């Protein structure tokens, strides 16, 4: 289990699914479009029937020549390529993935990540964050971030910088330094300028759309829409957001500058706060180009396509683009055919909502394989959130992504 701070724990709690009922014996427990329970009462087992229907069969009635659930896990079948389809049929700029330095020693993983028909964009999961890039005041280290920036160049992929300022993974010299508001402003300017400028020289601006981007500000709000309290907001309220955006624009006038947040997929207090912030930034002439919707979602609990579209449109109506920046759709383990089928439908819902909104420029999954997902280390007993399994084989979720971009 990873060590987590109290503030991170609070954020994690916000992700946890509420306890949901279980289906009765003979009841439905999965299938495309099914929004009810995905597990069965004790004494029965959720058994895959077809893509549209799974049922709680009493234990003992399930054919046991082999382990039915285990043996019947459906796999992905699509031969279409996710980035190719995102661009050609989805009308998007890319389909991408996060990655991280430790897993790049896995050559099979790295080869697939480098296939730009699958992934047209990559985001470093950790190596451009503050603790990685300025671990001591004024001492900048770009080694790991450069590895990923260079990968994007070698592979002809867009690069998403992540991130300049976040309450988490912030070194203690910043958070506990006892600095004044003026000093913190200067520290934030200096950090953002140095990091964004370093990668401005290394980015590959592939096409006229020039869509390399930075998550300049990460997770500024609590789930109830109030301003998340940490060293910068405590001293400066939301003016730290302006400070970071202005510095980032000066450092790289070409990059799209984003504010990135989770639990803003559909309407709610947090989405409203994000809209109010972006409106006020636009009104003040502060550089802001996009809202990043992280999209850490739960199988069977994804908002409807209509609700997603309405919220995406409310964001783009402010005059900014949006991107789905960290998509994954997790489940309570073990995987079952029903959960895989529901996850396939859930991926289609999110991707097709992005397709339906012109200002949604692309979709990034938060790594592509369950082998390297952050979920099991943080949400005990949960996982299998990504479209490629532990063996790097596609799951039905992949077919769901292709369907979302295609239909
Ligand atoms: O670098 C240390 C290493 O020295 C140490 O040996 C090791 C032991 O656990 O920990 C390493 O740090 C870990 C770090 O990832 C780098 O691997 C941290 O423990 C671990 O907590 C950290 O997790 C990252 C997490 O952000 C931190 O909150 C995940 O990999 C990363 O995927 C995740 O990404 C965030 C986005 O940035 C923002 N949105 C949510 C998303 C998921 O939490």
């Amino acid at each position: 289990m990873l060590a987590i701070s109290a503030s991170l724990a609070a954020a994690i709690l916000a992700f946890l699914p509420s306890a949901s009922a279980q289906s009765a014996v003979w009841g439905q427990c999965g299938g495309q479009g099914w929004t009810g329970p995905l597990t069965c009462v004790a004494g029965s087992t959720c058994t895959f029937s077809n893509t549209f229907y799974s049922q709680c069969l009493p234990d003992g009635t399930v054919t046991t020549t082999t382990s039915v659930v285990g043996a019947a896990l459906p796999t992905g079948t699509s031969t279409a390529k996710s980035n190719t389809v995102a661009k050609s049929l989805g009308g998007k700029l890319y389909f991408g993935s996060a990655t991280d330095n430790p897993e790049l020693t896995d050559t099979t993983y790295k080869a697939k990540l480098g296939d730009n028909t699958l992934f047209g964009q990559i985001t470093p999961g950790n190596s451009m964050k503050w603790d990685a890039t300025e671990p001591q005041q004024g001492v900048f280290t770009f080694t790991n971030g450069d590895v990923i920036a260079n990968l994007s160049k070698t592979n002809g992929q867009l690069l998403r910088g992540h991130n300049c300022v976040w309450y988490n993974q912030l070194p203690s010299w910043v958070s506990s330094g006892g600095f004044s508001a003026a000093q913190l402003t200067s520290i934030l300017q200096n950090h953002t300028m140095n990091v964004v400028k370093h990668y401005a020289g290394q980015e590959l601006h592939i096409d006229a759309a020039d869509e390399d981007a930075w998550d300049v500000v990460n997770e500024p709000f609590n789930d109830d829409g109030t301003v998340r309290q940490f060293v910068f907001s405590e001293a400066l309220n939301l003016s730290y957001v302006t400070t970071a955006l202005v510095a980032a624009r000066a450092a790289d006038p070409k990059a799209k500058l984003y504010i990135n947040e989770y639990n803003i997929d559909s309407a709610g207090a947090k989405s409203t706060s994000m809209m109010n912030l972006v409106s006020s930034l636009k009104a003040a002439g502060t550089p802001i180009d996009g809202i990043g919707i992280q999209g850490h979602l739960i199988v069977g609990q994804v908002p409807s396509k209509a609700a997603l579209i309405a919220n995406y449109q409310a964001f783009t109506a402010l005059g900014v683009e949006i991107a789905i920046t960290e998509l994954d759709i997790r489940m309570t383990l073990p995987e079952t055919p029903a959960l895989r089928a529901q996850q396939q439908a859930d991926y289609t819902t999110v991707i097709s909502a992005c397709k339906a909104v012109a200002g949604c420029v692309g979709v990034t999954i938060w790594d592509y394989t369950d082998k390297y997902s952050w979920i099991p280390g943080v949400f005990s007993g949960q996982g299998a959130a990504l479209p490629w399994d532990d063996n790097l084989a596609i799951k039905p979720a992949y077919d769901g992504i292709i369907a979302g971009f295609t239909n």
Side-chain angles (χ1 to χ4, degrees):
M1 189 66 190
L2 299 169
I4 54 175
S5 67
S7 55
L8 177 59
I12 288 167
L13 280 175
F15 277 132
L16 288 172
S18 54
S20 58
Q22 296 183 311
S23 279
V25 180
W26 304 112
Q28 186 170 357
C29 55
Q32 197 165 316
W34 171 249
T35 56
L38 299 171
T39 56
C40 300
V41 293
S44 61
T45 301
C46 188
T47 306
F48 180 76
S49 178
N50 57 55
T51 305
F52 303 97
Y53 193 72
S54 293
Q55 187 179 25
C56 295
L57 298 182
D59 292 345
T61 63
V62 178
T63 308
T64 53
T65 44
T66 58
S67 164
V68 169
V69 168
L73 270 187
T75 60
T77 58
S78 179
T79 54
K81 303 295 186 182
S82 44
N83 184 48
T84 304
V85 170
K87 294 199 291 188
S88 60
L89 299 175
K92 303 298 145 187
L93 290 168
Y94 60 83
F95 178 78
S97 174
T99 188
D100 204 358
N101 299 74
E103 59 238 40
L104 297 174
T105 56
D106 176 339
T107 50
T108 313
Y109 166 87
K110 189 178 172 186
K112 204 176 281 288
L113 180 74
D115 179 349
N116 65 19
T117 68
L118 292 173
F119 307 110
Q121 176 274 338
I122 53 177
T123 305
N126 284 301
S127 49
M128 292 185 192
K129 291 172 178 173
W130 199 314
D131 60 352
T133 52
E134 195 186 0
Q136 297 166 51
Q137 187 166 13
V139 179
F140 288 89
T141 58
F142 296 115
T143 315
N144 281 343
D146 286 355
V147 168
I148 291 172
N150 289 335
L151 261 191
S152 75
K153 267 192 262 191
T154 303
N155 298 327
Q157 295 163 321
L158 296 164
L159 179 67
R160 185 174 197 89
H162 177 85
N163 53 63
C164 298
V165 56
W166 187 25
Y167 75 93
N168 195 9
Q169 290 174 286
L170 191 60
S172 58
W173 74 259
V174 184
S175 49
S176 309
F179 297 111
S180 68
Q183 286 171 320
L184 284 166
T185 300
S186 162
I187 284 167
L188 181 55
Q189 277 169 336
N190 189 51
H191 177 78
T192 305
M193 283 288 283
N194 272 282
V195 176
V196 175
K197 190 147 195 82
H198 180 80
Y199 290 106
Q202 299 197 23
E203 284 168 352
L204 177 71
H205 295 284
I206 286 179
D207 52 28
D210 210 15
E211 279 286 339
D212 283 351
W214 262 101
D215 294 323
V216 177
V217 177
N218 202 36
E219 303 175 3
F221 295 112
N222 298 310
D223 276 346
D224 65 1
T226 55
V227 175
R228 187 186 288 281
Q229 293 300 296
F230 72 123
V231 64
F232 288 109
S233 55
E234 280 160 8
L236 301 159
N237 206 344
L238 280 177
S239 75
Y240 84 90
V241 172
T242 300
T243 299
L245 288 165
V246 168
R249 174 54 45 88
D252 184 358
K254 286 181 139 189
K256 299 283 184 183
L257 307 183
Y258 274 65
I259 303 173
N260 193 42
E261 184 60 274
Y262 65 86
N263 284 350
I264 56 163
D265 306 276
S266 53
K270 205 171 186 181
S271 293
T272 301
S273 292
M274 179 63 83
M275 287 195 282
N276 290 340
L277 173 59
V278 169
S279 296
S280 66
L281 292 169
K282 296 284 283 182
T286 305
I288 174 70
D289 301 307
I291 297 172
I293 299 164
Q294 293 185 5
H296 294 294
L297 299 170
I298 299 171
V299 167
Q301 298 181 31
V302 170
S304 70
K305 180 177 171 183
L308 293 173
I309 289 174
N311 196 50
Y312 295 175
Q313 286 175 335
F315 285 159
T316 57
L318 302 171
V320 292
E321 62 183 41
I322 60 169
I324 313 300
T325 53
E326 305 186 11
L327 182 62
D328 50 25
I329 311 182
R330 65 186 181 272
M331 62 180 73
T332 299
L333 299 172
E335 286 188 280
T336 64
L339 285 164
R340 278 199 169 188
Q342 182 63 49
Q343 186 183 51
Q344 175 179 3
D346 290 339
Y347 267 100
T348 300
T349 298
V350 177
I351 300 284
S352 63
C354 177
K355 178 179 176 176
V357 177
C360 184
V361 299
V363 178
T364 306
I365 47 178
W366 204 242
D367 223 315
Y368 73 85
T369 160
D370 294 333
K371 190 175 182 181
Y372 298 120
S373 172
W374 67 289
I375 300 280
V378 172
F379 298 106
S380 183
Q382 298 186 49
L386 293 165
W388 277 262
D389 70 13
D390 285 329
N391 299 313
L392 311 192
I394 54 169
K395 303 192 296 190
Y398 182 82
D399 297 345
I401 290 167
I402 297 298
F405 283 130
T406 304
N407 302 320

